[in-house]
């Protein structure tokens, strides 16, 4: 579906980078910025944006080489993805916003908070940050194992990621649909973005951002270790709305969670 009244726009950056995004909702409303996950795109948020845009100004961004955005750049760090979004904030003259990121987008939103501390008031992660094997800074051996997987068997790595984000009982057809979407991500961005996430220093980023951080995490996928490890910095709200991609499966409920943060 297409969000009612949405306007497609773009902003250009260096490295022959064009970031495309959609804006919907009232021009003067509180602003919500939606950032998709690894190998996904902004269209995953269409129904969430539809539910939010009656009250809020909603900006959904395609990161470089995802969705409709294009780039020939060489830098694929989480910080550089955050600069994609920061360029959109600047182009739209956003003075205050809540940033919402799914999966890899959760890491990106933390970096946006670090880049724009005077603009970002709250960071929301949708089933992100708590996967410590991926988000926590990896030692050399573990990092090399992850990177070897993505470089040598990209499809296998995607399949394992889908499985890791699927609670028991998740429909196999649903998992297959996510796999087909994610495995077709444009390259080399798919591999390089994963490398950027593995290299990201979550502890450093969390120590530097001052905004409150809320993680809406799938109850059965959030471990006690993650709660203990991050609970003093991150507010965890456990949900039962579907899989790792619950914002696609339960958009109305997801929009209500986000609206609750924005309106707090």
């Amino acid at each position: 579906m297409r969000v009612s009244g949405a306007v497609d726009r773009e902003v250009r950056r260096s490295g022959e980078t064009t970031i495309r995004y959609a804006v919907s909702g009232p021009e003067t409303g509180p602003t919500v910025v939606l950032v998709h996950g690894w190998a996904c795109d902004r269209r995953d948020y269409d129904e969430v944006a539809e539910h939010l845009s009656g009250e809020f100004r909603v900006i959904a961004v395609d990161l470089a080489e995802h969705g409709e955005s294009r780039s020939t750049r060489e830098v694929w760090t989480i910080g550089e993805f955050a600069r994609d979004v920061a360029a959109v904030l600047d182009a739209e003259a956003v003075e205050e916003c809540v940033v919402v990121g799914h999966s890899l987008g959760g890491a990106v939103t933390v970096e946006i908070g670090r880049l724009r501390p005077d603009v970002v008031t709250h960071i929301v992660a949708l089933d992100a940050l708590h996967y410590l094997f991926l988000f926590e800074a990896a030692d050399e051996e573990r990092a090399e194992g992850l990177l070897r997987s993505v470089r040598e068997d990209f499809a296998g790595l995607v399949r394992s990621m889908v499985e890791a984000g699927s609670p028991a009982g998740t429909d196999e057809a649903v998992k297959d649909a996510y796999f087909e979407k994610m495995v077709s991500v444009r390259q080399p961005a798919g591999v390089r973005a994963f490398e950027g996430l593995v290299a990201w220093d979550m502890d450093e980023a969390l120590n530097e951002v001052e905004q409150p951080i809320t993680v809406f995490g799938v109850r059965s996928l959030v471990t006690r270790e993650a709660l203990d490890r991050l609970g003093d910095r991150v507010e965890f709200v456990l949900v039962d709305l579907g899989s790792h991609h619950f914002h696609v499966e339960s958009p109305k409920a997801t929009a209500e969670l986000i609206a609750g943060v924005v309106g707090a």
Side-chain angles (χ1 to χ4, degrees):
M1 64 169 291
R2 179 174 171 77
V3 183
S4 301
V7 178
D8 292 322
R9 295 176 180 164
E10 65 179 47
V11 63
R12 295 184 181 274
R13 300 192 59 223
S14 60
E16 296 185 25
T17 298
T18 300
I19 301 301
R20 296 188 170 90
Y21 59 98
V23 181
S24 57
E27 286 291 324
T28 58
T31 300
V32 181
V33 180
L34 304 175
V35 184
H36 61 77
W38 178 61
C40 299
D41 59 66
R42 75 176 193 255
R43 298 304 301 273
D44 290 342
Y45 282 118
D46 277 359
E47 291 190 59
V48 172
E50 184 70 31
H51 289 294
L52 288 172
S53 60
E55 183 177 359
F56 305 114
R57 182 189 188 196
V58 181
I59 303 174
V61 183
D62 275 340
L63 300 174
E65 282 297 279
H66 290 71
E68 297 176 340
S69 293
R70 295 292 177 262
S71 179
T72 61
R73 70 187 183 209
E74 297 295 325
V75 179
W76 297 95
T77 62
I78 297 300
E80 194 64 22
F81 279 131
R83 293 182 187 94
D84 290 341
V85 182
V88 172
L89 299 183
D90 294 345
E92 292 298 315
V94 175
E95 297 181 353
E96 185 175 287
C97 69
V98 171
V99 289
V100 180
H102 168 242
S103 195
L104 171 141
V108 175
T109 58
V110 173
E111 288 294 333
I112 300 166
R114 183 150 64 161
L115 280 174
R116 294 288 187 273
D118 296 330
V119 174
V120 174
T121 60
H122 203 120
I123 296 164
V124 177
L126 304 182
D127 210 49
L129 305 183
H130 63 85
Y131 293 96
L132 299 182
F133 75 94
L134 185 58
F135 286 87
E136 192 173 44
D139 59 37
E140 186 175 346
E141 181 179 356
R142 183 159 62 90
E144 183 53 38
L146 289 167
L147 297 180
R148 186 182 309 113
S149 296
V150 75
R151 292 165 183 164
E152 296 179 359
D153 184 10
F154 185 78
L157 185 280
V158 172
R159 176 61 73 179
S160 70
M161 297 292 282
V162 171
E163 291 294 335
S166 300
T170 301
D171 191 300
E172 292 297 324
V174 170
K175 292 193 288 187
D176 288 345
Y178 291 138
F179 169 77
E180 293 297 336
K181 174 184 178 64
M182 295 171 67
V183 81
S184 64
V185 65
R186 291 173 65 88
Q187 298 293 1
V191 169
R192 298 296 301 279
F194 189 85
E195 292 173 345
L197 182 56
V198 171
W200 185 56
D201 191 330
M202 179 172 67
D203 286 335
E204 177 186 278
L206 291 178
N207 285 336
E208 289 195 10
V209 297
E210 297 182 354
Q211 299 93 335
I213 302 172
T214 301
V215 172
F216 294 111
V218 176
R219 187 182 308 275
S220 62
L221 300 179
V222 178
T223 65
R224 170 49 56 184
E225 180 186 8
L227 293 173
D228 292 342
R229 173 81 171 73
L230 301 173
D232 62 343
R233 180 62 187 89
V234 173
E235 177 192 11
F236 280 97
V237 179
L238 304 184
V239 300
D240 299 294
L241 299 176
S243 76
H244 177 61
H245 300 262
F246 66 82
H247 58 299
V248 176
E249 299 155 20
S250 302
K252 185 174 187 294
T254 302
E256 290 171 351
L257 293 173
I258 296 170
V261 172
V262 180

